[in-house]
Amino acid sequence: MPIFEFRCEKCKKTFETLVFGNQEVSCPKCKSKKVKKLMSAFSHSSDGKFSSSQGSGCGTCSATSCGPS
Ligand SMILES: [Zn+2]
């Protein structure tokens, strides 16, 4: 599904919405059409958090089989 994240340039609200084709997107809060499309929210934010927390969890050991014991 074509879900994109946007940020309103006017009230700075971020929101996700479905966009089909060239449908115009407007801010759900202030109805402004001055919205900016952000990079994919999903892969973007979860990516950074995941890799950093996993990296610090086993920073001293390079073995992939290392886990909590
Ligand atoms: Zn707005």
Side-chain angles (χ1 to χ4, degrees), residues 11-31:
C11 71
K12 308 296 182 196
K13 178 177 175 59
T14 55
F15 58 97
E16 286 165 13
T17 190
L18 280 164
V19 181
F20 297 101
N22 291 323
Q23 181 187 325
E24 264 193 299
V25 179
S26 56
C27 173
K29 190 178 172 188
C30 70
K31 310 294 180 196

Side-chain angles (χ1 to χ4, degrees), residues 6 9 14 17 38 40 43-45 47 55 59 65 68:
F6 293 86
E9 298 282 276
T14 55
T17 190
L38 302 178
S40 168
S43 54
H44 203 65
S45 59
D47 208 60
S65 59

